[in-house]
Amino acid sequence: MTATILDGTAIANRIRAQIAEDIERFKNQYGYAPGLGAVLAGDNPASAQYVRMKRRACDAIGVTSVAHVMTADSTQEEVEQAVKALNDDPKIHGILVQLPLPKQINEERVLSLVSIDKDVDGFHPINIGMLAMKGREPSFTPATPTGCMVLLQEADAKIEGANAVVIGRSNIVGLPVAMMLLRANATVTICHSRTQDIPGIVRQADIVIAAIGQPEFVKGSWLKPGAVVIDVGTNQVDDPTSEKGYKFVGDVEFETAKEVAGAISKVPGGVGPLTITMLMQNTVKAAWRIAAKSTN
Ligand code: GUN
């Protein structure tokens, strides 16, 4: 079997065109654009790159963006002030606190400060709590897990009743995507660094979400034939054959996995473009809600 390759860039472009139309409608109705505010503290190059990409996507789609860029030695008070300023800014509808924060900063306190109405990353403890509970609706769901769910839909994966295996239990991806799969009635198993026999568990999976941050960790030989595989990993590895000397690979060994899977997402060009798209979608959703509240 050769898998259907899920092209996240093409899917994201299609969804972004719809979001751009929605932004036009918003601007026509209210006379201003939706706005996203980012808080970036520290000198993590990957975080800086994510924030640059998110701001570029804002420019391209018609969302205004501002960034509070702070040094690695910023204090709790300074980071909290940046969040409060964005909470109070009527032209800002979505707030993104780029994680991880420097180690002296209490992340939970910062995320708790983000206005629920502007929590477009879905990381406020109340939103995560709502996501975890049956019969409750979070205001927003986190971008990368939502992007994974869109890819599953695009792959025509049957989620209800499926065995879904999530590899990785991070607050940003593994845990929330497991909760989203559970809400969609999958039988969910979360594997992590202490799990015994991950290959044996993956072999039972109709759906595999790989979010462990280890290059090519999941092998094709572990997969159940026909499984739908979403690869969240973006790992930089040496590549002497490339001009730059490195390349990015996922958490799944693509070459062997594509021979067994029914569908598999690419790296790069899989989940990544959808993450940013879901953030844009949440920002526009926030803008409509906030604008409607303030005109009522
Ligand atoms: N760090 C890595 N991924 C993300 C994300 O989706 N949102 C935020 N805020 N920080 C991240």
Side-chain angles (χ1 to χ4, degrees):
M1 181 184 288
T2 301
T4 301
I5 309 299
L6 301 169
D7 181 348
T9 307
I11 299 164
N13 285 342
R14 205 184 65 223
I15 300 172
R16 283 186 202 193
Q18 293 162 3
I19 299 172
E21 283 176 18
D22 200 23
I23 291 171
E24 274 313 301
R25 280 193 292 276
F26 182 88
K27 284 196 214 163
N28 286 339
Q29 188 161 333
Y30 291 106
Y32 54 87
L36 177 71
V39 176
L40 171 64
D43 45 19
N44 180 332
S47 290
Q49 173 68 2
Y50 286 143
V51 170
R52 262 197 304 276
M53 283 164 66
K54 288 166 186 174
R55 296 197 71 196
R56 217 177 288 149
C58 284
D59 287 347
I61 210 164
V63 167
T64 56
S65 72
V66 298
H68 288 249
V69 180
M70 315 174 74
T71 56
D73 60 359
S74 300
T75 64
Q76 182 78 26
E77 176 68 17
E78 286 165 335
V79 176
E80 290 187 7
Q81 279 308 324
V83 172
K84 285 181 188 160
L86 294 169
N87 277 344
D88 292 342
D89 186 339
K91 288 288 188 288
I92 293 296
H93 307 97
I95 299 174
L96 164 104
V97 179
Q98 188 63 36
L99 304 175
L101 288 165
K103 57 183 180 313
Q104 73 277 16
I105 307 294
N106 181 325
E107 178 188 298
E108 189 183 345
R109 267 173 52 198
V110 172
L111 294 178
S112 302
L113 265 186
V114 173
S115 157
I116 287 281
D117 292 337
K118 299 188 178 185
D119 182 35
V120 290
D121 244 349
F123 291 152
H124 190 290
I126 289 182
N127 271 327
I128 290 290
M130 294 291 192
L131 184 65
M133 282 185 277
K134 215 173 157 182
R136 309 282 162 86
E137 282 303 322
S139 305
F140 301 97
T141 55
T144 304
T146 310
C148 293
M149 299 302 283
V150 169
L151 281 175
L152 289 176
Q153 252 172 26
E154 289 287 329
D156 253 336
K158 188 176 178 322
I159 302 177
E160 185 161 320
N163 282 337
V165 171
V166 177
I167 311 173
R169 55 176 161 177
S170 72
N171 287 341
I172 293 174
V173 186
L175 195 68
V177 81
M179 296 193 292
M180 292 178 82
L181 287 161
L182 187 61
R183 288 172 83 90
N185 297 320
T187 301
V188 183
T189 306
I190 305 176
C191 298
H192 48 77
S193 54
R194 312 289 158 81
T195 300
Q196 291 174 30
D197 191 20
I198 295 179
I201 295 170
V202 170
R203 212 159 276 132
Q204 311 289 319
D206 306 302
I207 292 169
V208 179
I209 312 281
I212 199 167
Q214 288 192 33
E216 302 183 318
F217 179 79
V218 177
K219 313 296 177 199
S221 61
W222 300 5
L223 298 172
K224 178 172 169 179
V228 178
V229 180
I230 307 297
D231 190 348
V232 184
T234 308
N235 308 289
Q236 188 175 314
V237 295
D238 292 341
D239 178 16
T241 66
S242 91
E243 214 172 276
K244 294 179 190 156
Y246 64 85
K247 64 175 177 177
F248 290 101
V249 298
D251 290 355
V252 179
E253 193 177 71
F254 186 81
E255 286 307 313
T256 56
K258 79 175 185 346
E259 299 303 324
V260 188
I264 182 168
S265 65
K266 298 200 296 185
V267 176
V271 179
L274 279 161
T275 294
I276 297 180
T277 305
M278 295 303 108
L279 180 69
M280 298 296 114
Q281 193 166 63
N282 278 350
T283 303
V284 180
K285 189 166 145 185
W288 280 111
R289 284 190 194 149
I290 291 170
K293 260 193 197 174
S294 55
T295 48
N296 275 340

